[in-house]
Amino acid sequence: QLTMSLNSPTLLNEEKSQGLKRTSECLESLELQTPSSFQDNPLQQLQLASQEVLEKAKKSGRSKCPRCSSSRMFYCYTCFVPVETVPTKEIPTVKLPLKIDIIKHPNETDGKSTAVHAKLLAPDDVTIYKYPCIPEYKEKRHEIALVFPGPNSVSVKDIAFHLQKYSKKGVCDKDDDCSIEPLLKQAKIEPKEEEENLNECISNNRGEGTRLKKIIFIDSTWNQTNKIITDERLQGLLQIELKTRKTCFWRHQKGKPDTYLSTIEAIYYFLVDYHQEILKENYKGQYDNLLFFFSFMYTLIKNAKCCAGKE
């Protein structure tokens, strides 16, 4: 759980106690500094709502979840609600341009997952499922995509081109080659006419938000993803890869490239790209508050590490 153990009632030994005290004192001294004073903070340019409520909650320590009464810091990661010291009205709400399903691996530690951030900040547009209890997507795969790197993954800007192949008129069975059949099976269409029809279809799709209505993310360690990604209910879905972003996650998995993002980072960066590449609108920070908790914890943990001499 993302509490940094700053409010743990007991410690294993005197040495840990002294180390914790030094970290707390150091954090207090750093509170007067703004995040922008840390030049290596890649999140400092975000347009975020005031995080004063989180500062106050940090000082007061753990609090009860209003639903299950568990002791938590900032929010309850099982009930998906802020704790009592973090009033819901002081937490920003983000409206998303499409729905998001997050499929969580059953062995993923609840307290370490950033998926809950999305549910807290965009409650009307985000649903979290615990695998294997997930929906059937086959009948609507013409309007759904899955964010996951792989040999057949495409970039965000190519969503319109590829989703048109899954149109209701030409959805193919799992044994078919979806990459070529829907258009080529249209009998006796001249190449030039076929190209014009394809371009018109893509253009129409763009006007309708590419017909993409839902995007799926997998929330698990990279070593756990195979069980989910091979599930038959996810087969045939268009896969999207975010290749140009680098993670800031403090729990980045050793041996994995820095382009492997935490769940909330993947959601945020996908939406920024989608806004610019598909909706064709200037991005003005509309989704920045999805990183409301993430950016606060990033600064908090980075400062603590600096004080402890680890960086």
Side-chain angles (χ1 to χ4, degrees), residues 249-282:
F249 196 31
W250 48 92
R251 290 197 182 95
H252 182 63
Q253 297 166 56
K254 293 181 179 179
K256 302 299 181 183
D258 57 8
T259 52
Y260 280 21
L261 307 171
S262 66
T263 302
I264 194 62
E265 287 177 301
I267 292 172
Y268 170 73
Y269 287 126
F270 169 83
L271 289 171
V272 172
D273 289 348
Y274 180 85
H275 193 87
Q276 296 173 317
E277 299 286 354
I278 303 301
L279 301 184
K280 301 296 183 181
E281 298 179 12
N282 292 329

Side-chain angles (χ1 to χ4, degrees), residues 146-163:
L146 169 67
V147 173
F148 191 81
N152 299 317
S153 298
V154 303
S155 64
V156 174
K157 68 178 180 179
D158 293 327
I159 288 177
F161 177 82
H162 290 277
L163 263 190

Side-chain angles (χ1 to χ4, degrees), residues 141 245 273:
R141 64 184 181 184
R245 310 292 190 173
D273 289 348

Side-chain angles (χ1 to χ4, degrees), residues 73-124:
M73 178 67 84
F74 303 130
Y75 56 80
C76 180
Y77 43 75
T78 51
C79 299
F80 310 142
V81 294
V83 294
E84 293 177 348
T85 56
V86 182
T88 303
K89 63 181 181 180
E90 295 187 42
I91 299 299
T93 300
V94 184
K95 181 61 180 175
L96 307 184
L98 37 66
K99 299 298 182 181
I100 290 178
D101 280 2
I102 301 174
I103 301 175
K104 186 175 179 296
H105 193 282
N107 293 337
E108 177 72 0
T109 303
D110 291 338
K112 293 183 178 181
S113 171
T114 62
V116 63
H117 296 185
K119 182 62 178 176
L120 284 162
L121 298 163
D124 295 337

Side-chain angles (χ1 to χ4, degrees), residues 48-197:
L48 299 173
S50 172
Q51 294 175 321
E52 184 178 358
V53 62
L54 301 182
E55 288 286 355
K56 291 180 178 178
K58 183 190 73 174
K59 292 177 182 178
S60 61
R62 288 157 108 28
S63 181
K64 285 185 178 182
C65 168
R67 293 186 183 175
C68 68
S69 297
S70 297
S71 178
R72 300 280 191 257
M73 178 67 84
F74 303 130
Y75 56 80
C76 180
Y77 43 75
T78 51
C79 299
F80 310 142
V81 294
V83 294
E84 293 177 348
T85 56
V86 182
T88 303
K89 63 181 181 180
E90 295 187 42
I91 299 299
T93 300
V94 184
K95 181 61 180 175
L96 307 184
L98 37 66
K99 299 298 182 181
I100 290 178
D101 280 2
I102 301 174
I103 301 175
K104 186 175 179 296
H105 193 282
N107 293 337
E108 177 72 0
T109 303
D110 291 338
K112 293 183 178 181
S113 171
T114 62
V116 63
H117 296 185
K119 182 62 178 176
L120 284 162
L121 298 163
D124 295 337
D125 298 317
V126 175
T127 304
I128 298 178
Y129 296 94
K130 181 170 286 190
Y131 187 83
C133 300
I134 65 174
E136 294 286 347
Y137 293 109
K138 182 178 180 179
E139 296 302 319
K140 294 187 176 182
R141 64 184 181 184
H142 59 284
E143 58 187 34
I144 298 175
L146 169 67
V147 173
F148 191 81
N152 299 317
S153 298
V154 303
S155 64
V156 174
K157 68 178 180 179
D158 293 327
I159 288 177
F161 177 82
H162 290 277
L163 263 190
Q164 62 82 27
K165 301 170 187 175
Y166 296 84
S167 64
K168 291 181 179 179
K169 185 182 295 186
V171 172
C172 52
D173 294 329
K174 64 181 180 179
D175 294 329
D176 295 333
D177 184 351
C178 293
S179 65
I180 59 174
E181 287 191 346
L183 284 173
L184 298 185
K185 276 193 170 182
Q186 297 177 13
K188 297 182 180 179
I189 296 180
E190 295 297 324
K192 185 176 181 180
E193 181 184 354
E194 182 179 4
E195 182 178 355
E196 291 175 353
N197 290 342

